[in-house]
Amino acid sequence: MLPPVKRSELRWLLAHHWEIAIVLLAAGSAAFVRGYADGNNLRNLMAQSAPILLLAVGQTFVLLVRGIDLTQGALAGLASAVLVVLLNSMGAPGAVLAALVIAAGVGFANGFVISRMRVDPLIGTLAGMYVITGITMYWTGGTPVTRTSDGTLSFLNFIGSTSLGIVPVSFLIAVAFAVAAHVFLRRLMLGLRIYAVGSNPKAAASLGISRTVIFGVAYSASAVFTVLASLLLTARIRQGNPHLGEGLLFESIGAAVLGGVSLAGGSGGVWAAARGVIMLALIQNALYLTDLNSHVRDVAVGVMILAGVILARRSRTGEPQ
Amino acid sequence: MKKWSWWVLAVALLALGILVGYTIPRGAPGTPTGSGAGAQSRKWEPQSRVVAYVLPNDGPYYDLKWAGVSKELERLGYQPQKYTAAGYKNIKAQTDILENLIQKKVAGIILHSVSDTAVVPFVDRAYDAGIPVIAENVEISSDKVAGRVMLSNYQNGWELAMALTQAIHGKGKIAALVGPPGLETTDEMWKAAKEYFSRFAGIQIVREEYLQANTPEALERVQAILAAHPDISGIYTWYVQNGIGAAEAVRQAGIPAGRIPIVAKDTNAQGEQLVRDGYMTALLVGEPVAMGRTSARMLDAILKGQQTERHVLMRNYLVDRESIQNIDRSGFEAR
């Protein structure tokens, strides 16, 4: 007879249902899906999920303050074209730095408008999305920037095509920034204030925490992470493409929320976003390697996401925030 | 287990991955590599019977092409599978799909690309992995493409412009529903159309609207155009679904059939009815089923090392109210 499960063990299982689900899914796929556990496939998996990890982490910053950032997809497209133009003219360090500074500025302005002018984040960033898309299309005409200098090409090749063993450089970059974001949110005063504003805005205000500054920081972080994600995607295709952001927004929000970042603010974090990204990537990759009908595949992805969210909600009581 | 321990575990797994990675040989064993110049003469050794058909989107045109591809591949003994990127320009989705198909070691890929350039690194990787790629509909700027089945986009745009110019007797204001911004196929069509229109001093292009295949949006855009330019003489549209939206806007505005000629590419039952009703002037009809079938046959021949035409240009033809009954439907048989 099996020994009874202790209460503490059950609590641990409930609290870590996500991690257990990820391990089970990965193990199940490795056992039953041909080519899944192959080193090349693991490399693909990491390279494909790296940009989404960055986007989801960026989105987490704004979700934590009860916001949302719909500009991510549009900004990724603009950033892709801008990055290649800057890389051609000023080299890698300057180009990346300039793009990040511009992004931080755009993000801060976004947060400032939403917070100070009391604009609903959904509407504010929707407007931003239109503005950025319009600027991008006006500037590029929708045409990719394919002319790259030798320096640009070798930089993009290094980021987009180089691996350390089976770990792509792009994935290492994404993980490094995700860890930095985690430390920022959990260890630094500014990060803790983001949680404070998201959890209880009135209490945060009574403690003298500036909502405007916190929103500015959160939206800046989202924009910076978007530009980093755009850099990784640009490196994968070795060109600046104004359409690069298409479809990314839903993956970013979906992954963060799936992993347990609350749309109501103040709950979740980088690890929550990361496990959402991992879950989505594992499901999609496994299904692509099978011979399922494409529409059945979509249904399966949808059902699994829904099941994940319901499970997460049911066991939220035991989950560490 | 404490929270930080998950991070330790993650870092440990990462380190393990790096370590393990150095023990894995690069490239699939036994797959030949070589320069792109050999794409035409290379011998392929398929490792499965699965052929992937990779499309930008779902929709009537793609359904017809898929009907041609899938039926022909099945007849030839392959296992066809369809993959869509869910967007005309969803680059990440399509490049991820290609990467996964290379991993899956499919026998071949027929690719209607979302971009002529963005997929190049992945087409090159497919070549290196021993998987032939047939470019369909959209040119791919790589010499590692095994074969091409194309439409003459330039000629299509030119012919649509000719039909519209004839219908408005070479003068008047025209508006255009061009296509998704940056889509090479529709950009080339519109470039040709504009070149043709520029030969007529009396033709003035007052509006260029970029939009995807979207009938309700086409209807709304044309309603706005009609409000801003009640004297509009003709409307160019890149696709029958948008042409339908334009025709419905004209009909709902109470404008008599034929007063504002509308031209569009491709056909479907509703489009043909609008031509019969006089709300649409001409349709440039292609052969999507035959196109898919041609791609399937080309891939089969390439895989078997047989001689085959590596660059096929599919034909299109204009039909109007008088000729619509005579559309050659043999190309649609597979549906």
Side-chain angles (χ1 to χ4, degrees):
Chain A
M1 195 176 144
L2 288 170
V5 180
K6 286 182 194 162
R7 230 180 207 314
S8 59
E9 286 170 349
L10 193 66
R11 253 205 308 274
W12 188 90
L13 285 173
L14 277 174
H16 294 98
H17 67 281
W18 269 113
E19 289 75 16
I20 294 163
I22 286 170
V23 171
L24 287 178
L25 186 64
S29 302
F32 297 111
V33 180
R34 194 165 60 94
Y36 189 86
D38 185 288
N40 286 323
N41 188 51
L42 297 178
R43 187 183 298 144
N44 290 348
L45 237 169
M46 287 186 267
Q48 289 168 14
S49 47
I52 303 299
L53 173 63
L54 289 171
L55 288 168
V57 169
Q59 194 67 249
T60 298
F61 275 84
V62 292
L63 290 174
L64 285 175
V65 296
R66 301 187 183 186
I68 196 161
D69 190 356
L70 301 185
T71 64
Q72 278 192 332
L75 187 60
L78 177 61
S80 178
V82 169
L83 269 167
V84 172
V85 170
L86 290 179
L87 281 168
N88 283 338
S89 61
M90 57 200 294
V96 175
L97 193 66
L100 292 178
V101 169
I102 294 167
V106 170
F108 197 88
N110 236 342
F112 183 85
V113 168
I114 287 165
S115 169
R116 185 53 71 89
M117 317 268 178
R118 299 273 164 190
V119 177
D120 186 280
L122 193 80
I123 304 301
T125 55
L126 182 70
M129 183 181 83
Y130 277 111
V131 170
I132 294 168
T133 304
I135 290 170
T136 309
M137 291 306 151
Y138 185 79
W139 176 48
T140 64
T143 310
V145 185
T146 52
R147 189 166 296 163
T148 48
S149 66
D150 289 346
T152 301
L153 204 56
S154 57
F155 175 68
L156 293 179
N157 274 335
F158 171 70
I159 291 180
S161 312
T162 316
S163 299
L164 289 171
I166 61 163
V167 184
V169 166
S170 59
F171 185 72
L172 290 173
I173 292 171
V175 169
F177 277 95
V179 170
H182 176 79
V183 172
F184 177 88
L185 283 171
R186 295 295 169 111
R187 294 278 179 269
L188 300 189
M189 187 53 76
L190 204 52
L192 296 173
R193 286 179 173 179
I194 286 177
Y195 277 98
V197 168
S199 303
N200 193 336
K202 282 185 182 167
S206 69
L207 290 170
I209 299 173
S210 165
R211 187 173 179 270
T212 305
V213 170
I214 295 301
F215 263 66
V217 169
Y219 276 90
S220 288
S222 175
V224 163
F225 275 84
T226 301
V227 168
L228 289 168
S230 175
L231 173 65
L232 302 193
L233 286 165
T234 301
R236 261 166 85 70
I237 60 172
R238 298 202 291 261
Q239 63 173 240
N241 198 304
H243 300 281
L244 200 66
E246 196 166 307
L248 295 182
L249 181 62
F250 291 113
E251 284 199 58
S252 139
I253 298 172
V257 175
L258 174 67
V261 181
S262 171
L263 284 166
S267 170
V270 170
W271 175 235
R275 64 195 177 195
V277 172
I278 295 169
M279 200 73 180
L280 269 182
L282 288 177
I283 293 170
Q284 286 178 340
N285 180 259
L287 289 173
Y288 271 128
L289 292 180
T290 64
D291 293 340
L292 273 178
N293 173 288
S294 66
H295 302 301
V296 175
R297 223 167 24 227
D298 291 342
V299 172
V301 171
V303 168
M304 289 174 94
I305 289 172
L306 198 61
V309 170
I310 291 168
L311 274 174
R313 182 164 295 174
R314 283 187 163 233
S315 54
R316 182 148 291 168
T317 46
E319 187 179 349
Q321 298 300 314
Chain B
M1 205 166 173
K2 290 193 181 301
K3 256 186 292 177
W4 56 262
S5 57
W6 286 107
W7 288 103
V8 173
L9 186 65
V11 171
L13 282 173
L14 202 66
L16 187 68
I18 293 172
L19 204 66
V20 169
Y22 278 113
T23 66
I24 296 175
R26 293 303 177 90
T31 51
T33 55
S35 77
Q40 304 284 308
S41 57
R42 176 173 172 176
K43 282 196 167 50
W44 307 89
E45 291 168 12
Q47 297 176 51
S48 82
R49 298 300 286 170
V50 173
V51 171
Y53 192 41
V54 183
L55 293 163
N57 222 336
D58 280 310
Y61 177 67
Y62 302 113
D63 288 349
L64 287 167
K65 292 210 305 174
W66 169 238
V69 163
S70 56
K71 288 226 164 33
E72 191 64 13
L73 283 173
E74 279 166 7
R75 191 185 69 78
L76 293 164
Y78 295 94
Q79 190 186 334
Q81 285 176 7
K82 186 172 82 164
Y83 295 82
T84 59
Y88 287 100
K89 301 301 286 186
N90 197 334
I91 293 163
K92 181 176 187 300
Q94 194 168 73
T95 52
D96 285 359
I97 288 169
L98 290 173
E99 202 166 39
N100 292 331
L101 291 173
I102 295 165
Q103 172 63 21
K104 197 171 161 177
K105 299 184 176 65
V106 294
I109 298 171
I110 300 171
L111 174 61
H112 181 156
S113 177
V114 294
S115 161
D116 62 342
T117 50
V119 298
V120 169
F122 300 88
V123 170
D124 291 354
R125 277 169 60 181
Y127 177 90
D128 293 340
I131 300 169
V133 176
I134 303 288
E136 190 184 87
N137 238 126
V138 172
E139 187 58 79
I140 296 170
S141 311
S142 167
D143 60 358
K144 294 189 175 179
V145 170
R148 293 173 165 85
V149 181
M150 293 290 150
L151 285 170
S152 173
N153 299 314
Y154 191 88
Q155 189 183 339
N156 289 342
W158 188 271
E159 289 194 21
L160 282 175
M162 266 174 62
L164 189 60
T165 302
Q166 195 176 353
I168 63 173
H169 307 295
K171 62 178 181 190
K173 289 181 180 177
I174 60 168
L177 307 185
V178 176
L183 191 69
E184 292 83 357
T185 313
T186 51
D187 279 354
E188 206 178 327
M189 280 172 63
W190 181 232
K191 186 179 164 211
K194 280 211 288 195
E195 276 181 30
Y196 187 84
F197 291 137
S198 69
R199 297 173 170 212
F200 296 84
I203 290 182
Q204 185 192 356
I205 301 167
V206 293
R207 193 74 79 90
E208 295 174 48
E209 296 280 349
Y210 288 84
L211 74 162
Q212 307 218 359
N214 187 326
T215 307
E217 203 179 333
L219 189 148
E220 286 175 16
R221 301 273 181 109
V222 172
Q223 282 175 332
I225 290 167
L226 292 174
H229 299 282
D231 56 341
I232 199 92
S233 300
I235 300 172
Y236 164 103
T237 70
W238 73 281
Y239 186 46
V240 64
Q241 285 297 104
N242 292 5
I244 290 167
E248 286 302 330
V250 169
R251 191 208 295 265
Q252 288 171 24
I255 298 167
R259 218 284 279 146
I260 301 178
I262 297 167
V263 294
K265 186 176 156 290
D266 294 318
T267 185
N268 61 25
Q270 193 182 356
E272 288 175 24
Q273 188 55 48
L274 285 163
V275 172
R276 285 189 205 97
D277 295 346
Y279 282 97
M280 287 181 82
T281 307
L283 291 171
L284 188 63
V285 179
E287 294 182 320
V289 178
M291 183 178 222
R293 195 184 291 142
T294 305
S295 301
R297 286 177 187 165
M298 185 187 283
L299 181 66
D300 175 57
I302 287 170
L303 284 170
K304 288 174 179 164
Q306 297 167 344
Q307 284 292 323
T308 183
E309 182 62 57
R310 300 289 186 119
H311 197 139
V312 174
L313 204 57
M314 301 300 294
R315 68 195 174 108
N316 282 330
Y317 43 91
L318 275 166
V319 292
D320 59 15
R321 204 171 178 175
E322 274 70 46
S323 57
I324 197 144
Q325 300 304 329
N326 304 320
I327 289 181
D328 174 10
R329 293 186 186 277
S330 58
F332 293 85
E333 277 168 5
R335 200 180 190 195

